[in-house]
Every structure is written in structure tokens, then in C-alpha cells.
Amino acid sequence: MLSAEEWTVVLLSLKVGAAAMIVTLPVAFALAWLLARVRFPGRVIVDAIVHLPLVVPPVVTGWILLLAFGPDGPIGAPLERWFGVTVLFRWTGAAIAAGVMALPLMVRAMRLSIEAVDARLENAARTLGAGPWRVFWTLTLPLSVRGILAGAVLGFARSIGEFGATITFVSNVPGETRTLPLAIYSVLQQPDGDAMAMRLSAISIALSLAALVASEMLARRAGRGLHVL
């Protein structure tokens, strides 16, 4: 049985992961489509920036977010001045950090799926009179749904496992930013924290496995639906 503190950590992790995935999903798909279908100057640079969180230390990403969303930052200052909103030491800040770290994985999965759609099918639809939006909604999007689902679930799994950028950006606040990885790190500093760390680690592994299994099941179901069409 989990204690009230452990339930708080689990539910907060699920909330942060879901929020990060939902908010990042349209951004990731737009970037994936742009990189897969549009040729423009600086495309390689945009691609490198999107994947930068995969290769730089997460602490660096968290520090950049802190500079951007801090009281004097280019994003944080207008938010606080005009709307009275701050994401520092808030679960929303943890969701932002998780979303930024999950973005490269989501973009990569979706981009590969979009690139797998035969461009000749899209060209044939255009020659038959379909406009760009109709081609996108009726052809490109349905045929790339596997990548979208895979990217979304990978993003969720990555979000609930985020540690370095989160602790640097929004610290380790119990009940507010202390997600599963941060809670495990905290209890490991305690002499009697091994049992709690083991329970939280088991939950983290179970959630990640469940996300991956759900991704595979949804992708197969979507694939059967496309075959029927």
C-alpha cells in the first residue's frame, strides 16, 4: 500500500506527464511536418535545435528555461507583468521542462511516420482536385497516425521520467514539483528511504511499460483501421 505522500507523488507525475504531452503534441507534429515536407534555408539548423535537448546535459536545458521564464526573462517577465503568472516552483513549470525534454523524441517519431507516407499519393490527390488542407486531413494525417500515437506515448513516458531539467528549473518542492524521479532522489538521501525508493521505482517502471504497451496496441488498432479503409 502506498502512503498519502507517495500517492501525491504518483498523481502529480501523471498530471505533469499528461499536461506536457498534450501541450507539446501539436508543436511536435507541426515541427515534424515542417521538417519532413518543407525545404527551406536553415532547415538543418532548426532540426539541430529541436534535437538539442537530447545531447546537451538536462541541467543546461533547465538553466536555459530558468533564464527564459525567470522574473527578468524574455518570457517570464511579460507573463508576470501582464498576467501575474509565474511558472517557477510550480507544477506548470515542471510540465514545461518535461515537454521540452520530450519534444525531440516526439518530433522524431512523427517525422519518420510522415516521411513514410508516399508523396506520390499526395500528388495524385492534388491532381484530382484536392486542396492542400484536404490532402493533409484525409491522407497525410491518417497515414501517419501510428507515428503520432507513438510520439505521444513516448513523450508521456519521457515526461514522467524527467529529472535534471526539472530540478534545475523549478526545484524539488513537495506536492508541487516533486515528481517520481525527484521523489526517488530525495528518499535515497534518507537513511531509511530504501523501501519507499523501491516502491516508487517499481511504479515508475510499471507506468513506463504500460505506456509502451498502450502505444503498441493503439498503433496496431490504427493500422487495422487503415487497412479497412
Side-chain angles (χ1 to χ4, degrees), residues 114-150:
I114 294 171
E115 289 177 342
V117 177
D118 195 339
R120 292 175 298 181
L121 295 176
E122 297 174 331
N123 293 332
R126 294 189 187 96
T127 60
L128 294 174
W133 280 108
R134 187 175 180 183
V135 172
F136 173 79
W137 285 109
T138 62
L139 190 63
T140 309
L141 186 61
L143 291 178
S144 59
V145 69
R146 289 191 181 191
I148 297 172
L149 293 174

PDB file of all heavy atoms in Angstrom, residues 114-150:
ATOM      1  N   ILE A 114       5.629  10.557 -41.039  1.00  0.00           N
ATOM      2  CA  ILE A 114       5.200  11.427 -42.138  1.00  0.00           C
ATOM      3  C   ILE A 114       6.026  11.152 -43.387  1.00  0.00           C
ATOM      4  O   ILE A 114       5.502  11.096 -44.503  1.00  0.00           O
ATOM      5  CB  ILE A 114       5.313  12.909 -41.720  1.00  0.00           C
ATOM      6  CG1 ILE A 114       4.317  13.217 -40.603  1.00  0.00           C
ATOM      7  CG2 ILE A 114       5.066  13.827 -42.914  1.00  0.00           C
ATOM      8  CD1 ILE A 114       4.498  14.587 -39.990  1.00  0.00           C
ATOM      9  N   GLU A 115       7.343  10.969 -43.197  1.00  0.00           N
ATOM     10  CA  GLU A 115       8.205  10.683 -44.341  1.00  0.00           C
ATOM     11  C   GLU A 115       7.880   9.333 -44.975  1.00  0.00           C
ATOM     12  O   GLU A 115       8.161   9.118 -46.165  1.00  0.00           O
ATOM     13  CB  GLU A 115       9.661  10.710 -43.900  1.00  0.00           C
ATOM     14  CG  GLU A 115      10.180  12.114 -43.578  1.00  0.00           C
ATOM     15  CD  GLU A 115      11.601  12.114 -43.067  1.00  0.00           C
ATOM     16  OE1 GLU A 115      12.074  11.043 -42.633  1.00  0.00           O
ATOM     17  OE2 GLU A 115      12.245  13.180 -43.102  1.00  0.00           O
ATOM     18  N   ALA A 116       7.273   8.431 -44.207  1.00  0.00           N
ATOM     19  CA  ALA A 116       6.903   7.121 -44.751  1.00  0.00           C
ATOM     20  C   ALA A 116       5.665   7.193 -45.645  1.00  0.00           C
ATOM     21  O   ALA A 116       5.392   6.256 -46.396  1.00  0.00           O
ATOM     22  CB  ALA A 116       6.662   6.127 -43.624  1.00  0.00           C
ATOM     23  N   VAL A 117       4.910   8.280 -45.548  1.00  0.00           N
ATOM     24  CA  VAL A 117       3.745   8.465 -46.421  1.00  0.00           C
ATOM     25  C   VAL A 117       4.246   8.778 -47.830  1.00  0.00           C
ATOM     26  O   VAL A 117       4.999   9.730 -48.030  1.00  0.00           O
ATOM     27  CB  VAL A 117       2.835   9.601 -45.904  1.00  0.00           C
ATOM     28  CG1 VAL A 117       1.670   9.831 -46.867  1.00  0.00           C
ATOM     29  CG2 VAL A 117       2.323   9.272 -44.511  1.00  0.00           C
ATOM     30  N   ASP A 118       3.830   7.990 -48.794  1.00  0.00           N
ATOM     31  CA  ASP A 118       4.287   8.148 -50.175  1.00  0.00           C
ATOM     32  C   ASP A 118       3.828   9.504 -50.721  1.00  0.00           C
ATOM     33  O   ASP A 118       2.622   9.782 -50.807  1.00  0.00           O
ATOM     34  CB  ASP A 118       3.731   7.023 -51.044  1.00  0.00           C
ATOM     35  CG  ASP A 118       4.450   6.925 -52.385  1.00  0.00           C
ATOM     36  OD1 ASP A 118       5.066   7.925 -52.810  1.00  0.00           O
ATOM     37  OD2 ASP A 118       4.393   5.849 -53.012  1.00  0.00           O
ATOM     38  N   ALA A 119       4.780  10.334 -51.081  1.00  0.00           N
ATOM     39  CA  ALA A 119       4.450  11.663 -51.607  1.00  0.00           C
ATOM     40  C   ALA A 119       3.680  11.569 -52.917  1.00  0.00           C
ATOM     41  O   ALA A 119       2.935  12.494 -53.276  1.00  0.00           O
ATOM     42  CB  ALA A 119       5.724  12.484 -51.796  1.00  0.00           C
ATOM     43  N   ARG A 120       3.812  10.448 -53.640  1.00  0.00           N
ATOM     44  CA  ARG A 120       3.072  10.291 -54.892  1.00  0.00           C
ATOM     45  C   ARG A 120       1.574  10.219 -54.651  1.00  0.00           C
ATOM     46  O   ARG A 120       0.784  10.664 -55.487  1.00  0.00           O
ATOM     47  CB  ARG A 120       3.567   9.043 -55.630  1.00  0.00           C
ATOM     48  CG  ARG A 120       4.996   9.161 -56.166  1.00  0.00           C
ATOM     49  CD  ARG A 120       5.471   7.865 -56.764  1.00  0.00           C
ATOM     50  NE  ARG A 120       5.517   6.787 -55.760  1.00  0.00           N
ATOM     51  CZ  ARG A 120       5.911   5.554 -56.036  1.00  0.00           C
ATOM     52  NH1 ARG A 120       6.283   5.226 -57.263  1.00  0.00           N
ATOM     53  NH2 ARG A 120       5.938   4.643 -55.074  1.00  0.00           N
ATOM     54  N   LEU A 121       1.172   9.655 -53.504  1.00  0.00           N
ATOM     55  CA  LEU A 121      -0.253   9.630 -53.168  1.00  0.00           C
ATOM     56  C   LEU A 121      -0.786  11.036 -52.960  1.00  0.00           C
ATOM     57  O   LEU A 121      -1.889  11.372 -53.415  1.00  0.00           O
ATOM     58  CB  LEU A 121      -0.473   8.790 -51.909  1.00  0.00           C
ATOM     59  CG  LEU A 121      -0.162   7.291 -52.009  1.00  0.00           C
ATOM     60  CD1 LEU A 121      -0.331   6.631 -50.653  1.00  0.00           C
ATOM     61  CD2 LEU A 121      -1.074   6.636 -53.043  1.00  0.00           C
ATOM     62  N   GLU A 122      -0.001  11.857 -52.274  1.00  0.00           N
ATOM     63  CA  GLU A 122      -0.420  13.243 -52.045  1.00  0.00           C
ATOM     64  C   GLU A 122      -0.490  14.003 -53.368  1.00  0.00           C
ATOM     65  O   GLU A 122      -1.437  14.782 -53.604  1.00  0.00           O
ATOM     66  CB  GLU A 122       0.558  13.923 -51.082  1.00  0.00           C
ATOM     67  CG  GLU A 122       0.581  13.297 -49.699  1.00  0.00           C
ATOM     68  CD  GLU A 122       1.646  13.893 -48.803  1.00  0.00           C
ATOM     69  OE1 GLU A 122       2.691  14.360 -49.337  1.00  0.00           O
ATOM     70  OE2 GLU A 122       1.450  13.902 -47.582  1.00  0.00           O
ATOM     71  N   ASN A 123       0.492  13.793 -54.243  1.00  0.00           N
ATOM     72  CA  ASN A 123       0.479  14.472 -55.546  1.00  0.00           C
ATOM     73  C   ASN A 123      -0.706  14.019 -56.392  1.00  0.00           C
ATOM     74  O   ASN A 123      -1.336  14.830 -57.091  1.00  0.00           O
ATOM     75  CB  ASN A 123       1.786  14.191 -56.290  1.00  0.00           C
ATOM     76  CG  ASN A 123       2.984  14.836 -55.612  1.00  0.00           C
ATOM     77  OD1 ASN A 123       2.843  15.863 -54.948  1.00  0.00           O
ATOM     78  ND2 ASN A 123       4.162  14.239 -55.768  1.00  0.00           N
ATOM     79  N   ALA A 124      -1.021  12.718 -56.314  1.00  0.00           N
ATOM     80  CA  ALA A 124      -2.170  12.214 -57.073  1.00  0.00           C
ATOM     81  C   ALA A 124      -3.468  12.835 -56.570  1.00  0.00           C
ATOM     82  O   ALA A 124      -4.346  13.184 -57.370  1.00  0.00           O
ATOM     83  CB  ALA A 124      -2.237  10.689 -56.958  1.00  0.00           C
ATOM     84  N   ALA A 125      -3.581  12.991 -55.238  1.00  0.00           N
ATOM     85  CA  ALA A 125      -4.791  13.621 -54.682  1.00  0.00           C
ATOM     86  C   ALA A 125      -4.917  15.068 -55.135  1.00  0.00           C
ATOM     87  O   ALA A 125      -6.016  15.544 -55.438  1.00  0.00           O
ATOM     88  CB  ALA A 125      -4.755  13.535 -53.162  1.00  0.00           C
ATOM     89  N   ARG A 126      -3.791  15.761 -55.234  1.00  0.00           N
ATOM     90  CA  ARG A 126      -3.837  17.156 -55.691  1.00  0.00           C
ATOM     91  C   ARG A 126      -4.240  17.246 -57.163  1.00  0.00           C
ATOM     92  O   ARG A 126      -4.991  18.155 -57.553  1.00  0.00           O
ATOM     93  CB  ARG A 126      -2.475  17.819 -55.474  1.00  0.00           C
ATOM     94  CG  ARG A 126      -2.088  17.971 -54.009  1.00  0.00           C
ATOM     95  CD  ARG A 126      -0.833  18.827 -53.865  1.00  0.00           C
ATOM     96  NE  ARG A 126      -0.364  18.855 -52.492  1.00  0.00           N
ATOM     97  CZ  ARG A 126       0.583  18.077 -52.005  1.00  0.00           C
ATOM     98  NH1 ARG A 126       1.195  17.204 -52.805  1.00  0.00           N
ATOM     99  NH2 ARG A 126       0.953  18.161 -50.749  1.00  0.00           N
ATOM    100  N   THR A 127      -3.741  16.321 -57.977  1.00  0.00           N
ATOM    101  CA  THR A 127      -4.111  16.345 -59.399  1.00  0.00           C
ATOM    102  C   THR A 127      -5.594  16.047 -59.602  1.00  0.00           C
ATOM    103  O   THR A 127      -6.181  16.441 -60.616  1.00  0.00           O
ATOM    104  CB  THR A 127      -3.281  15.315 -60.184  1.00  0.00           C
ATOM    105  OG1 THR A 127      -3.513  14.007 -59.659  1.00  0.00           O
ATOM    106  CG2 THR A 127      -1.807  15.648 -60.111  1.00  0.00           C
ATOM    107  N   LEU A 128      -6.209  15.365 -58.636  1.00  0.00           N
ATOM    108  CA  LEU A 128      -7.647  15.074 -58.716  1.00  0.00           C
ATOM    109  C   LEU A 128      -8.503  16.198 -58.141  1.00  0.00           C
ATOM    110  O   LEU A 128      -9.724  16.062 -58.061  1.00  0.00           O
ATOM    111  CB  LEU A 128      -7.949  13.767 -57.980  1.00  0.00           C
ATOM    112  CG  LEU A 128      -7.348  12.500 -58.616  1.00  0.00           C
ATOM    113  CD1 LEU A 128      -7.591  11.297 -57.731  1.00  0.00           C
ATOM    114  CD2 LEU A 128      -7.948  12.273 -60.001  1.00  0.00           C
ATOM    115  N   GLY A 129      -7.859  17.271 -57.741  1.00  0.00           N
ATOM    116  CA  GLY A 129      -8.607  18.443 -57.310  1.00  0.00           C
ATOM    117  C   GLY A 129      -8.639  18.695 -55.821  1.00  0.00           C
ATOM    118  O   GLY A 129      -9.267  19.661 -55.373  1.00  0.00           O
ATOM    119  N   ALA A 130      -8.001  17.862 -55.014  1.00  0.00           N
ATOM    120  CA  ALA A 130      -8.000  18.059 -53.568  1.00  0.00           C
ATOM    121  C   ALA A 130      -7.047  19.203 -53.202  1.00  0.00           C
ATOM    122  O   ALA A 130      -5.929  19.272 -53.702  1.00  0.00           O
ATOM    123  CB  ALA A 130      -7.584  16.781 -52.852  1.00  0.00           C
ATOM    124  N   GLY A 131      -7.515  20.074 -52.321  1.00  0.00           N
ATOM    125  CA  GLY A 131      -6.676  21.166 -51.863  1.00  0.00           C
ATOM    126  C   GLY A 131      -5.671  20.696 -50.829  1.00  0.00           C
ATOM    127  O   GLY A 131      -5.741  19.569 -50.332  1.00  0.00           O
ATOM    128  N   PRO A 132      -4.717  21.560 -50.478  1.00  0.00           N
ATOM    129  CA  PRO A 132      -3.676  21.167 -49.516  1.00  0.00           C
ATOM    130  C   PRO A 132      -4.236  20.698 -48.180  1.00  0.00           C
ATOM    131  O   PRO A 132      -3.765  19.696 -47.622  1.00  0.00           O
ATOM    132  CB  PRO A 132      -2.837  22.443 -49.364  1.00  0.00           C
ATOM    133  CG  PRO A 132      -3.081  23.218 -50.615  1.00  0.00           C
ATOM    134  CD  PRO A 132      -4.490  22.917 -51.009  1.00  0.00           C
ATOM    135  N   TRP A 133      -5.245  21.432 -47.644  1.00  0.00           N
ATOM    136  CA  TRP A 133      -5.796  21.042 -46.354  1.00  0.00           C
ATOM    137  C   TRP A 133      -6.541  19.715 -46.440  1.00  0.00           C
ATOM    138  O   TRP A 133      -6.478  18.895 -45.528  1.00  0.00           O
ATOM    139  CB  TRP A 133      -6.734  22.130 -45.821  1.00  0.00           C
ATOM    140  CG  TRP A 133      -5.992  23.271 -45.188  1.00  0.00           C
ATOM    141  CD1 TRP A 133      -5.829  24.519 -45.679  1.00  0.00           C
ATOM    142  CD2 TRP A 133      -5.287  23.232 -43.935  1.00  0.00           C
ATOM    143  NE1 TRP A 133      -5.071  25.277 -44.832  1.00  0.00           N
ATOM    144  CE2 TRP A 133      -4.724  24.513 -43.746  1.00  0.00           C
ATOM    145  CE3 TRP A 133      -5.084  22.254 -42.972  1.00  0.00           C
ATOM    146  CZ2 TRP A 133      -3.982  24.833 -42.623  1.00  0.00           C
ATOM    147  CZ3 TRP A 133      -4.334  22.571 -41.844  1.00  0.00           C
ATOM    148  CH2 TRP A 133      -3.793  23.846 -41.678  1.00  0.00           C
ATOM    149  N   ARG A 134      -7.250  19.489 -47.538  1.00  0.00           N
ATOM    150  CA  ARG A 134      -7.968  18.225 -47.686  1.00  0.00           C
ATOM    151  C   ARG A 134      -7.001  17.050 -47.817  1.00  0.00           C
ATOM    152  O   ARG A 134      -7.236  15.975 -47.257  1.00  0.00           O
ATOM    153  CB  ARG A 134      -8.892  18.287 -48.904  1.00  0.00           C
ATOM    154  CG  ARG A 134      -9.797  17.062 -49.009  1.00  0.00           C
ATOM    155  CD  ARG A 134     -10.772  17.190 -50.143  1.00  0.00           C
ATOM    156  NE  ARG A 134     -11.626  16.017 -50.228  1.00  0.00           N
ATOM    157  CZ  ARG A 134     -12.546  15.829 -51.171  1.00  0.00           C
ATOM    158  NH1 ARG A 134     -12.731  16.753 -52.113  1.00  0.00           N
ATOM    159  NH2 ARG A 134     -13.278  14.732 -51.165  1.00  0.00           N
ATOM    160  N   VAL A 135      -5.912  17.259 -48.534  1.00  0.00           N
ATOM    161  CA  VAL A 135      -4.889  16.214 -48.651  1.00  0.00           C
ATOM    162  C   VAL A 135      -4.304  15.901 -47.283  1.00  0.00           C
ATOM    163  O   VAL A 135      -4.101  14.731 -46.909  1.00  0.00           O
ATOM    164  CB  VAL A 135      -3.778  16.652 -49.628  1.00  0.00           C
ATOM    165  CG1 VAL A 135      -2.616  15.671 -49.595  1.00  0.00           C
ATOM    166  CG2 VAL A 135      -4.332  16.772 -51.042  1.00  0.00           C
ATOM    167  N   PHE A 136      -4.074  16.952 -46.516  1.00  0.00           N
ATOM    168  CA  PHE A 136      -3.487  16.763 -45.186  1.00  0.00           C
ATOM    169  C   PHE A 136      -4.437  15.998 -44.270  1.00  0.00           C
ATOM    170  O   PHE A 136      -4.040  15.016 -43.635  1.00  0.00           O
ATOM    171  CB  PHE A 136      -3.146  18.123 -44.574  1.00  0.00           C
ATOM    172  CG  PHE A 136      -2.696  18.042 -43.141  1.00  0.00           C
ATOM    173  CD1 PHE A 136      -1.408  17.654 -42.828  1.00  0.00           C
ATOM    174  CD2 PHE A 136      -3.567  18.363 -42.106  1.00  0.00           C
ATOM    175  CE1 PHE A 136      -0.990  17.571 -41.513  1.00  0.00           C
ATOM    176  CE2 PHE A 136      -3.158  18.282 -40.784  1.00  0.00           C
ATOM    177  CZ  PHE A 136      -1.868  17.893 -40.491  1.00  0.00           C
ATOM    178  N   TRP A 137      -5.702  16.431 -44.191  1.00  0.00           N
ATOM    179  CA  TRP A 137      -6.655  15.839 -43.242  1.00  0.00           C
ATOM    180  C   TRP A 137      -7.112  14.446 -43.658  1.00  0.00           C
ATOM    181  O   TRP A 137      -7.390  13.604 -42.798  1.00  0.00           O
ATOM    182  CB  TRP A 137      -7.864  16.751 -43.073  1.00  0.00           C
ATOM    183  CG  TRP A 137      -7.595  17.962 -42.252  1.00  0.00           C
ATOM    184  CD1 TRP A 137      -7.513  19.257 -42.683  1.00  0.00           C
ATOM    185  CD2 TRP A 137      -7.338  18.003 -40.845  1.00  0.00           C
ATOM    186  NE1 TRP A 137      -7.224  20.101 -41.649  1.00  0.00           N
ATOM    187  CE2 TRP A 137      -7.116  19.358 -40.500  1.00  0.00           C
ATOM    188  CE3 TRP A 137      -7.281  17.038 -39.845  1.00  0.00           C
ATOM    189  CZ2 TRP A 137      -6.840  19.751 -39.194  1.00  0.00           C
ATOM    190  CZ3 TRP A 137      -7.009  17.436 -38.544  1.00  0.00           C
ATOM    191  CH2 TRP A 137      -6.792  18.778 -38.230  1.00  0.00           C
ATOM    192  N   THR A 138      -7.219  14.192 -44.941  1.00  0.00           N
ATOM    193  CA  THR A 138      -7.769  12.904 -45.388  1.00  0.00           C
ATOM    194  C   THR A 138      -6.714  11.885 -45.800  1.00  0.00           C
ATOM    195  O   THR A 138      -7.035  10.703 -45.947  1.00  0.00           O
ATOM    196  CB  THR A 138      -8.722  13.128 -46.583  1.00  0.00           C
ATOM    197  OG1 THR A 138      -7.992  13.689 -47.683  1.00  0.00           O
ATOM    198  CG2 THR A 138      -9.858  14.047 -46.186  1.00  0.00           C
ATOM    199  N   LEU A 139      -5.461  12.336 -45.961  1.00  0.00           N
ATOM    200  CA  LEU A 139      -4.434  11.414 -46.436  1.00  0.00           C
ATOM    201  C   LEU A 139      -3.204  11.395 -45.523  1.00  0.00           C
ATOM    202  O   LEU A 139      -2.887  10.366 -44.915  1.00  0.00           O
ATOM    203  CB  LEU A 139      -4.026  11.791 -47.866  1.00  0.00           C
ATOM    204  CG  LEU A 139      -3.132  10.783 -48.601  1.00  0.00           C
ATOM    205  CD1 LEU A 139      -3.864   9.459 -48.781  1.00  0.00           C
ATOM    206  CD2 LEU A 139      -2.728  11.339 -49.959  1.00  0.00           C
ATOM    207  N   THR A 140      -2.534  12.529 -45.416  1.00  0.00           N
ATOM    208  CA  THR A 140      -1.287  12.572 -44.661  1.00  0.00           C
ATOM    209  C   THR A 140      -1.496  12.244 -43.190  1.00  0.00           C
ATOM    210  O   THR A 140      -0.780  11.414 -42.613  1.00  0.00           O
ATOM    211  CB  THR A 140      -0.628  13.955 -44.792  1.00  0.00           C
ATOM    212  OG1 THR A 140      -0.523  14.316 -46.167  1.00  0.00           O
ATOM    213  CG2 THR A 140       0.747  13.953 -44.157  1.00  0.00           C
ATOM    214  N   LEU A 141      -2.485  12.897 -42.573  1.00  0.00           N
ATOM    215  CA  LEU A 141      -2.718  12.689 -41.146  1.00  0.00           C
ATOM    216  C   LEU A 141      -3.132  11.252 -40.816  1.00  0.00           C
ATOM    217  O   LEU A 141      -2.544  10.633 -39.921  1.00  0.00           O
ATOM    218  CB  LEU A 141      -3.751  13.689 -40.636  1.00  0.00           C
ATOM    219  CG  LEU A 141      -4.000  13.697 -39.124  1.00  0.00           C
ATOM    220  CD1 LEU A 141      -2.719  14.059 -38.390  1.00  0.00           C
ATOM    221  CD2 LEU A 141      -5.112  14.683 -38.776  1.00  0.00           C
ATOM    222  N   PRO A 142      -4.125  10.666 -41.523  1.00  0.00           N
ATOM    223  CA  PRO A 142      -4.486   9.271 -41.195  1.00  0.00           C
ATOM    224  C   PRO A 142      -3.344   8.281 -41.417  1.00  0.00           C
ATOM    225  O   PRO A 142      -3.176   7.345 -40.631  1.00  0.00           O
ATOM    226  CB  PRO A 142      -5.664   8.984 -42.140  1.00  0.00           C
ATOM    227  CG  PRO A 142      -6.226  10.319 -42.470  1.00  0.00           C
ATOM    228  CD  PRO A 142      -5.054  11.251 -42.503  1.00  0.00           C
ATOM    229  N   LEU A 143      -2.563   8.482 -42.470  1.00  0.00           N
ATOM    230  CA  LEU A 143      -1.490   7.536 -42.759  1.00  0.00           C
ATOM    231  C   LEU A 143      -0.302   7.673 -41.799  1.00  0.00           C
ATOM    232  O   LEU A 143       0.512   6.747 -41.698  1.00  0.00           O
ATOM    233  CB  LEU A 143      -1.009   7.712 -44.199  1.00  0.00           C
ATOM    234  CG  LEU A 143      -1.992   7.279 -45.292  1.00  0.00           C
ATOM    235  CD1 LEU A 143      -1.423   7.557 -46.673  1.00  0.00           C
ATOM    236  CD2 LEU A 143      -2.339   5.795 -45.145  1.00  0.00           C
ATOM    237  N   SER A 144      -0.207   8.791 -41.129  1.00  0.00           N
ATOM    238  CA  SER A 144       0.889   8.993 -40.174  1.00  0.00           C
ATOM    239  C   SER A 144       0.436   8.847 -38.728  1.00  0.00           C
ATOM    240  O   SER A 144       1.178   9.199 -37.809  1.00  0.00           O
ATOM    241  CB  SER A 144       1.520  10.379 -40.372  1.00  0.00           C
ATOM    242  OG  SER A 144       0.562  11.404 -40.190  1.00  0.00           O
ATOM    243  N   VAL A 145      -0.775   8.308 -38.516  1.00  0.00           N
ATOM    244  CA  VAL A 145      -1.325   8.248 -37.163  1.00  0.00           C
ATOM    245  C   VAL A 145      -0.490   7.362 -36.251  1.00  0.00           C
ATOM    246  O   VAL A 145      -0.413   7.588 -35.044  1.00  0.00           O
ATOM    247  CB  VAL A 145      -2.799   7.768 -37.215  1.00  0.00           C
ATOM    248  CG1 VAL A 145      -2.888   6.303 -37.639  1.00  0.00           C
ATOM    249  CG2 VAL A 145      -3.477   7.979 -35.876  1.00  0.00           C
ATOM    250  N   ARG A 146       0.150   6.327 -36.798  1.00  0.00           N
ATOM    251  CA  ARG A 146       0.985   5.468 -35.963  1.00  0.00           C
ATOM    252  C   ARG A 146       2.119   6.263 -35.316  1.00  0.00           C
ATOM    253  O   ARG A 146       2.416   6.105 -34.132  1.00  0.00           O
ATOM    254  CB  ARG A 146       1.569   4.331 -36.797  1.00  0.00           C
ATOM    255  CG  ARG A 146       0.551   3.289 -37.227  1.00  0.00           C
ATOM    256  CD  ARG A 146       1.244   2.083 -37.808  1.00  0.00           C
ATOM    257  NE  ARG A 146       0.307   1.062 -38.248  1.00  0.00           N
ATOM    258  CZ  ARG A 146       0.649  -0.166 -38.604  1.00  0.00           C
ATOM    259  NH1 ARG A 146       1.918  -0.506 -38.570  1.00  0.00           N
ATOM    260  NH2 ARG A 146      -0.260  -1.041 -38.972  1.00  0.00           N
ATOM    261  N   GLY A 147       2.763   7.088 -36.115  1.00  0.00           N
ATOM    262  CA  GLY A 147       3.846   7.896 -35.572  1.00  0.00           C
ATOM    263  C   GLY A 147       3.359   8.910 -34.561  1.00  0.00           C
ATOM    264  O   GLY A 147       4.056   9.208 -33.588  1.00  0.00           O
ATOM    265  N   ILE A 148       2.179   9.455 -34.795  1.00  0.00           N
ATOM    266  CA  ILE A 148       1.614  10.419 -33.851  1.00  0.00           C
ATOM    267  C   ILE A 148       1.349   9.749 -32.507  1.00  0.00           C
ATOM    268  O   ILE A 148       1.696  10.278 -31.444  1.00  0.00           O
ATOM    269  CB  ILE A 148       0.323  11.029 -34.421  1.00  0.00           C
ATOM    270  CG1 ILE A 148       0.637  11.812 -35.697  1.00  0.00           C
ATOM    271  CG2 ILE A 148      -0.340  11.932 -33.396  1.00  0.00           C
ATOM    272  CD1 ILE A 148      -0.596  12.291 -36.439  1.00  0.00           C
ATOM    273  N   LEU A 149       0.725   8.569 -32.546  1.00  0.00           N
ATOM    274  CA  LEU A 149       0.444   7.835 -31.314  1.00  0.00           C
ATOM    275  C   LEU A 149       1.732   7.432 -30.605  1.00  0.00           C
ATOM    276  O   LEU A 149       1.868   7.580 -29.385  1.00  0.00           O
ATOM    277  CB  LEU A 149      -0.394   6.597 -31.624  1.00  0.00           C
ATOM    278  CG  LEU A 149      -1.821   6.848 -32.110  1.00  0.00           C
ATOM    279  CD1 LEU A 149      -2.487   5.537 -32.520  1.00  0.00           C
ATOM    280  CD2 LEU A 149      -2.643   7.535 -31.025  1.00  0.00           C
ATOM    281  N   ALA A 150       2.683   6.915 -31.388  1.00  0.00           N
ATOM    282  CA  ALA A 150       3.953   6.504 -30.794  1.00  0.00           C
ATOM    283  C   ALA A 150       4.681   7.701 -30.175  1.00  0.00           C
ATOM    284  O   ALA A 150       5.219   7.610 -29.067  1.00  0.00           O
ATOM    285  CB  ALA A 150       4.829   5.839 -31.846  1.00  0.00           C
TER     286      ALA A 150
END
